[in-house]
Amino acid sequence: MELVDQQQQQSSPFTKIKSYINNKKPCIVGLKQSTPKYKAHWVVATGYATYNHIQPDSTYTYAKFVQVNDGWGNKGVWINYKYTDGVVYLK
């Protein structure tokens, strides 16, 4: 078994999170210091979602979210992907 730091890989960390979740394998996601509530913290990713929305002024909004267990007893918490700073997983 090998531990991989996704920041050192070429594919998008979100792509790797999706791949692992789709294969029923959780992965560990690092959160930035600027993350509301959690600050710099590692969490276990258990799901993901993407949202596409067209605003009334015809601008397009795209957002990515990661569902996590935060290690403090909270499960199914949604974190905006912009607050993540890396992912590690077992290979």
Side-chain angles (χ1 to χ4, degrees), residues 44-55:
V44 177
T46 58
Y48 67 90
T50 57
Y51 294 96
N52 300 308
H53 182 70
I54 298 176
Q55 304 290 340

Side-chain angles (χ1 to χ4, degrees), residues 21-76:
I21 298 303
N22 289 342
N23 287 299
K24 301 190 184 325
K25 297 178 183 178
C27 52
I28 301 167
V29 175
L31 301 178
K32 295 178 181 178
Q33 181 65 30
S34 61
T35 307
K37 182 178 178 178
Y38 295 106
K39 308 300 179 208
H41 185 64
W42 290 95
V43 294
V44 177
T46 58
Y48 67 90
T50 57
Y51 294 96
N52 300 308
H53 182 70
I54 298 176
Q55 304 290 340
D57 64 359
S58 297
T59 58
Y60 183 74
T61 303
Y62 178 73
K64 299 184 249 186
F65 293 86
V66 179
Q67 186 179 43
V68 304
N69 295 346
D70 66 11
W72 298 335
N74 301 304
K75 297 178 181 177

